[in-house]
Amino acid sequence: MGTLLVRGASVLVTEGPEGEIAGGALFARDGVIEAVGPEAALPRAADEILDAKGGVVTPGLVNTHHHLFQNLTRVVPSGVDAPLFGWLRALYPIWAQMGPEHIRISTQVGLAELALSGATTVADHLYLFPNGARLDDEIEAAMETGMRLHATRGAMSIGESAGGLPPDALVEREGAILEDCIRVIDAFHDPAPGAMIRIGVAPCSPFSVSRELMRDAALLAREKGVMLHTHLAENDEDVAFSLERFGVRPGDYAEELGWTGPDVWHAHCVKLDAAEIGLFARSGTGVAHCPCSNCRLGSGIAPVTAMLDAGVKVGLGVDGSASNDAANLLAEARQALLLQRVAGGAAALKAREALRLATAGGAAVLGRDDIGALVPGRRADFVIWPTGGLEGAGAWDPVAALVLAPPARAAEVRVEGRAVVSGGRIVSFDIDSVLPKHAALARQLCERTRQ
């Protein structure tokens, strides 16, 4: 790939020991950062010179929890005003109509939407595979976009007839689930630094799989050297289910089955209590905080400040489009800040702390020490944010403005030094040809449901 010089920034936010560098620049070789610092201190020549035009340069944003397939079912009337369990019951029958093409097209639309909000790495949780769909459909679609993907092989094994939440048509045999986890890990997982595709093992939730599958999934993931992911303690219903079914709180249930440790991250964790927060801190367990989804479903305010104070690893996630209706990581950073201030006062979370959740925090949650910061040795995943636009007009602090007065779109997004977004447009693949297909699939699902 050669060398790349980024210059002309008003501020370069490293999220490393170098801090924020006024007039900063970045020099990379073959997708890896070699130097950051004042522009005058860096090489003056490179194979490619990228002018930041006075913008703010940050590490690429890291989305730690998503359900990409759900962008085909935004704003479904029967689920708009429902809490988590009611919302799921409204959407499950619609999702059961999907197939491989739905997974492929929704992946590309979702990744494009995220890239425009500055995302370079996305962890996705695909937990249903109707009508021949496979995790392969998502992975192969993502490969065409130029973005990094942590594809987690989700699963549901307990249907309504066995006391679970999902319809029986969407559950799988537990033996088949574990076999397919092995297959996709062997086929796609790349543990090397700079990996574009990594695989995780991710039973959907304690209310949709058995105790045995949770335990066996943890054993399998550790045997294979991959990470574990699931939903946990998302709302009061979730906690009540755990107490009634298992006799313990969600954090205790997770610990009993091997679901704590530095190779585990849980989505939401809105209802963790002090003891569970301490458990996560001691064990190195990570949390994907999804503030917009938590608001949308009325789940509550996650104790993020308490988690950070205790030393818990916390990143941001947009969650599925069907419970968020959008996929914008800067919007999540802003909402995270606002919610913590509602709960804990104006000093509870600062703008730069919220931005860090979206960058270095997310990288740590996903177990990656090769992204999340603009420092020598890390991959050249970065974003150039425009300044002086309408959204941030009059902003005195351009870094804080990314969270408090965020730009509508990133100007430039690079992954491994390669352009995904340039001039505020997706350039790594032809999104314009994908959108009509997406619209047709969504329309088809809507019409079938109404019938």
Side-chain angles (χ1 to χ4, degrees):
M1 291 187 290
T3 55
L4 168 66
L5 174 65
V6 182
R7 66 185 187 188
S10 62
V11 184
L12 187 140
V13 181
T14 69
E15 297 292 9
E18 295 84 353
E20 295 175 11
I21 305 171
L26 177 154
F27 183 82
R29 186 185 307 273
D30 296 332
V32 178
I33 298 170
E34 282 194 357
V36 295
E39 189 172 322
L42 266 63
R44 304 176 69 89
D47 296 322
E48 180 184 5
I49 296 176
L50 183 59
D51 186 356
K53 299 179 181 177
V56 177
V57 180
T58 71
L61 308 189
V62 179
N63 178 19
T64 60
H65 182 67
H66 203 7
H67 307 294
L68 288 163
F69 74 92
Q70 292 182 8
N71 61 44
L72 284 161
T73 52
R74 301 188 211 242
V75 200
V76 174
S78 57
V80 163
D81 299 318
L84 174 63
F85 283 17
W87 169 84
L88 284 169
R89 290 189 179 99
L91 274 292
Y92 278 142
I94 302 173
W95 296 335
Q97 302 174 46
M98 292 184 177
E101 187 70 0
H102 296 85
I103 302 303
R104 284 192 291 268
I105 296 299
S106 60
T107 295
Q108 295 191 329
V109 167
L111 292 179
E113 183 180 10
L114 285 161
L116 290 170
S117 82
T120 53
T121 299
V122 175
D124 190 63
H125 190 187
L126 182 58
Y127 54 81
L128 48 81
F129 302 91
N131 305 307
R134 301 192 301 169
L135 192 62
D136 311 45
D137 301 315
E138 172 177 286
I139 293 167
E140 291 162 4
M143 287 176 174
E144 298 177 15
T145 70
M147 295 179 68
R148 299 191 198 277
L149 177 70
H150 282 232
T152 65
R153 206 298 184 181
M156 299 188 292
S157 66
I158 299 180
E160 287 178 309
S161 64
L165 195 67
D168 290 347
L170 284 176
V171 303
E172 301 174 86
R173 289 187 304 105
E174 296 191 349
I177 291 167
L178 295 171
E179 288 174 6
D180 198 56
C181 287
I182 294 169
R183 182 188 67 80
V184 294
I185 292 167
D186 290 347
F188 296 108
H189 180 66
D190 181 0
M196 297 299 293
I197 302 291
R198 286 190 179 169
I199 305 298
V201 177
C204 183
S205 65
F207 52 80
S208 59
V209 300
S210 71
R211 176 188 292 268
E212 291 74 24
L213 182 61
M214 292 289 287
R215 180 201 61 213
D216 292 347
L219 293 171
L220 171 62
R222 291 187 172 118
E223 179 184 335
K224 287 291 190 178
V226 301
M227 293 190 72
L228 287 157
H229 183 53
T230 193
H231 299 89
L232 198 77
E234 186 168 351
N235 68 0
D236 289 330
E237 287 179 293
D238 197 336
V239 176
F241 183 94
S242 183
L243 289 169
E244 179 182 351
R245 178 63 64 90
F246 310 123
V248 293
R249 288 185 55 85
D252 297 323
Y253 182 69
E255 184 181 31
E256 286 177 8
L257 298 176
W259 276 77
T260 55
D263 56 352
V264 181
W265 85 104
H266 294 285
H268 302 299
C269 298
V270 174
K271 298 297 180 177
L272 292 188
D273 65 13
E276 290 166 317
I277 291 172
L279 167 64
F280 277 32
R282 292 190 305 274
S283 60
T285 306
V287 170
H289 175 43
C290 306
C292 291
S293 175
N294 297 158
C295 289
R296 162 79 162 74
L297 292 172
S299 299
I301 302 174
V304 169
T305 300
M307 293 182 199
L308 294 173
D309 289 346
V312 176
K313 296 181 296 187
V314 181
L316 294 180
V318 302
D319 203 9
S321 299
S323 65
N324 185 333
D325 303 306
N328 185 311
L329 275 168
L330 281 187
E332 299 298 332
R334 187 175 194 274
Q335 192 72 8
L337 178 146
L338 296 177
L339 285 175
Q340 294 310 299
R341 292 186 176 194
V342 166
L349 192 67
K350 297 178 174 61
R352 283 169 171 78
E353 292 172 330
L355 182 62
R356 186 173 179 81
L357 293 178
T359 53
V365 164
L366 297 184
R368 298 201 64 148
D369 58 5
D370 55 346
I371 60 173
L374 302 181
V375 297
R378 301 278 181 120
R379 316 307 287 198
D381 291 12
F382 62 87
V383 186
I384 300 175
W385 301 98
T387 55
L390 192 61
E391 302 89 352
W396 289 25
D397 181 340
V399 177
L402 294 179
V403 174
L404 293 169
R409 289 186 173 189
E412 189 88 16
V413 176
R414 294 287 178 112
V415 177
E416 201 85 352
R418 298 183 289 260
V420 175
V421 173
S422 187
R425 292 180 55 83
I426 299 291
V427 297
S428 57
F429 71 107
D430 185 7
I431 185 61
D432 291 334
S433 68
V434 174
L435 283 170
K437 300 174 186 177
H438 186 273
L441 290 172
R443 185 167 56 250
Q444 182 186 68
L445 288 171
C446 181
E447 291 171 352
R448 286 178 179 174
T449 302
R450 287 174 174 169
Q451 291 171 1

